[in-house]
């Protein structure tokens, strides 16, 4: 029960023995909790140590680091989370103490920590808009990426479609295939840059799913554009998967807002952001009509993206069946007409009325 020092943690993390490095992460978590209890949380010291541990090749070391970063973010979200999101987007963890360049692997694992934080936190109201802006516009998207080989797509398709086993019940087999489709299958080394870019869209989707629709409405146009362009212009299967998953979150947000019966800000923002273009892109992906759209990159059928597109369109159809989009279009047209009425005419009409 003796008090653990940061120096002792760093000594353990520098060990060649994986169990000792894992112990170092556990001790780092204890240091973090002790500082939080004492009201002296030194995030600028502890966060870089946990981020550095994301490089570790042992899964139980870097997974512990992800869990530790999530705990730190939960207890000090305003101070930590924006810097973590910017680090994912830009590849650099910067504050008044440290200026740390991150590898692609670190950035993708850091994105997992951010997503875990978003799912665990009680409220995102103060952070949601800033996080969406950071994740979409912070840093730069990688423009030159290595196109995945045909072999990668073949192996991925085999992963989704291969038989589970002769003695396995049909329901178990379907359940196993569903898990595979949801997880997306293996990611290859030459897809690391795509993985980081797709992680940014996954963070945005997580934030949209957790924040109030009225807050997400402020960034709706950017979200719809990012989603649509990822489906229309990208050849990367990972980015297209993330784009279709973000579309699911957007349509789910429309349904949640309609169920609350309080406002229609997000729904009207979706209409004004050309939601129909997004729906068209999803339908083309689902039908496989866009596989030959790109001149320089050949697209391949991807089962995981197919499932996500189908789920997004199901949610959209549910909103249409409930009359949500029809009502939103009427409200949007009324609002547009009201905004086009000259203010002087409104004053004159009011004077005549009174």
């Amino acid at each position: 029960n003796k008090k653990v020092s940061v120096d002792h943690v760093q000594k353990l993390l520098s060990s060649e023995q994986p169990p000792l490095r894992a112990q170092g992460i556990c001790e780092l978590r204890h240091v973090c909790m002790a500082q939080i209890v004492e009201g002296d949380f030194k995030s600028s010291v502890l966060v870089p140590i946990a981020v550095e541990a994301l490089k570790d090749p042992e899964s139980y070391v870097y997974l512990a680091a992800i869990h530790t970063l999530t705990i730190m973010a939960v207890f000090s979200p305003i101070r930590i989370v924006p810097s973590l999101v910017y680090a994912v987007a830009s590849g650099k963890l910067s504050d008044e103490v440290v200026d740390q360049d991150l590898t692609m692997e670190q950035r993708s694992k850091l994105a997992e920590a951010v997503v875990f934080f978003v799912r665990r936190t009680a409220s995102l109201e103060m952070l949601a808009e800033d996080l969406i802006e950071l994740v979409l516009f912070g840093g730069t998207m990688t423009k030159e990426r290595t196109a995945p080989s045909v072999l990668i797509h073949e192996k991925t398709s085999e992963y989704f479609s291969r038989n589970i086993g002769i003695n396995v019940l049909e329901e178990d087999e379907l359940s196993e295939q569903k898990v595979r489709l949801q997880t997306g299958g293996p990611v290859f080394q030459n897809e690391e840059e795509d993985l980081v870019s797709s992680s940014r869209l996954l963070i945005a989707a997580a934030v949209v799913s957790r924040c109030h629709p009225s807050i997400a409405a402020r960034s709706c146009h950017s979200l719809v554009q990012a989603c649509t362009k990822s489906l229309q212009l990208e050849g990367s299967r990972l980015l297209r998967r993330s784009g279709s998953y973000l579309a699911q979150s957007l349509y789910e947000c429309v349904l949640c807002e309609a169920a609350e019966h309080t406002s229609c800000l997000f729904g009207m923002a979706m209409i004004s952001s050309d939601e129909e273009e997004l729906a068209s892109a999803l339908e083309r992906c689902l039908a496989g009509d866009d596989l030959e759209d790109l001149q320089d990159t050949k697209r391949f059928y991807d089962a995981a993206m197919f499932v996500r597109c189908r789920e997004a369109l199901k949610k959209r159809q549910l909103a249409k069946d409930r009359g949500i989009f029809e009502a939103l279009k009427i409200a949007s047209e009324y609002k547009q007409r009201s905004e086009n009425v000259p203010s002087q005419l409104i004053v004159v009409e009011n004077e005549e009325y009174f």
Side-chain angles (χ1 to χ4, degrees), residues 73-74 77 116-124 210:
V74 168
F116 289 154
F117 157 77
V118 171
R119 291 174 179 170
R120 289 181 61 174
T121 190
S123 175
L124 273 178
R210 290 287 296 161

Side-chain angles (χ1 to χ4, degrees), residues 7 15 24 43 65 68 99 134 142 153 155-156 167 176 189 207 219 222 237 248 252 265 273 297 306 325 353-354:
D7 291 338
S15 171
S43 61
T68 301
D99 192 8
L134 278 172
T142 307
H153 290 280
K155 290 297 182 183
T156 303
N167 299 320
E176 177 68 19
Q189 189 171 1
V207 173
S219 304
S222 299
R237 64 193 182 118
Q248 283 189 57
E252 183 65 34
L265 293 176
S273 300
T297 304
F306 176 88
F325 278 111
Y353 177 79
F354 288 110

Side-chain angles (χ1 to χ4, degrees), residues 213-228:
S214 62
I215 296 176
R218 302 168 193 168
S219 304
C220 185
H221 180 76
S222 299
L223 290 165
V224 172
Q225 288 300 306
C227 189
T228 305

Side-chain angles (χ1 to χ4, degrees), residues 6 16-17 51 94 98 101 115 129 132 140 142 186 194-195 198 202 217 227 240 265 298 305 338 341:
V6 174
E16 295 181 358
Q17 302 297 321
V51 171
S94 303
V98 69
D101 290 324
V115 171
E129 188 175 3
I132 292 173
T140 55
T142 307
D194 291 340
L195 180 61
S198 66
L202 291 177
C227 189
R240 282 158 61 79
L265 293 176
K298 180 172 176 58
M305 189 197 68
S338 299
V341 175

Side-chain angles (χ1 to χ4, degrees), residues 154-333:
E154 289 177 350
K155 290 297 182 183
T156 303
S157 296
E158 181 184 336
Y159 171 82
F160 290 134
S161 60
R162 69 172 182 248
N163 292 327
I164 310 301
I166 299 174
N167 299 320
V168 180
L169 294 174
E170 185 177 349
E171 296 129 12
D172 294 337
E173 183 172 338
L174 291 173
S175 176
E176 177 68 19
Q177 287 181 342
K178 183 178 179 181
V179 170
R180 289 177 180 173
L181 290 169
Q182 288 175 339
T183 56
V187 176
F188 298 85
Q189 189 171 1
N190 65 342
E191 294 183 298
E192 276 190 337
E193 294 179 357
D194 291 340
L195 180 61
V196 171
S197 297
S198 66
S199 295
R200 297 170 66 167
L201 296 181
L202 291 177
I203 292 173
V207 173
V208 170
S209 299
R210 290 287 296 161
C211 72
H212 194 272
S214 62
I215 296 176
R218 302 168 193 168
S219 304
C220 185
H221 180 76
S222 299
L223 290 165
V224 172
Q225 288 300 306
C227 189
T228 305
K229 299 308 178 189
S230 69
L231 294 172
Q232 291 179 335
L233 304 179
E234 286 292 341
S236 163
R237 64 193 182 118
L238 299 179
L239 272 165
R240 282 158 61 79
R241 286 178 189 176
S242 298
S244 53
Y245 183 73
L246 176 57
Q248 283 189 57
S249 300
L250 294 176
Y251 287 121
E252 183 65 34
C253 197
V254 172
L255 291 170
C256 290
E257 183 180 56
E260 289 183 355
H261 302 291
T262 54
S263 71
C264 57
L265 293 176
F266 186 82
M268 291 181 67
M270 283 282 284
I271 296 296
S272 63
S273 300
D274 200 2
E275 169 275 332
E276 290 183 350
E277 184 182 6
L278 171 59
S280 176
L282 288 166
E283 288 169 355
R284 283 177 55 78
C285 291
L286 189 63
D289 294 338
D290 63 344
L291 298 181
E292 304 293 336
D293 282 1
L294 302 182
Q295 293 181 353
D296 302 329
T297 304
K298 180 172 176 58
R299 287 171 172 166
F300 295 86
Y301 172 79
D302 183 67
M305 189 197 68
F306 176 88
V307 170
R308 288 163 174 76
C309 288
R310 185 178 62 189
E311 289 302 315
L313 288 171
K314 277 185 179 179
K315 294 180 187 300
R316 183 178 189 269
Q317 187 60 45
L318 181 59
K320 286 186 69 176
D321 293 342
R322 293 177 179 177
I324 296 172
F325 278 111
E326 185 177 354
L328 289 171
K329 287 178 181 178
I330 294 172
S332 182
E333 290 172 2

Side-chain angles (χ1 to χ4, degrees), residues 21 39 42 54 65 131 180 194 196:
R21 298 199 300 272
K42 297 181 175 64
L54 296 176
L131 294 188
R180 289 177 180 173
D194 291 340
V196 171

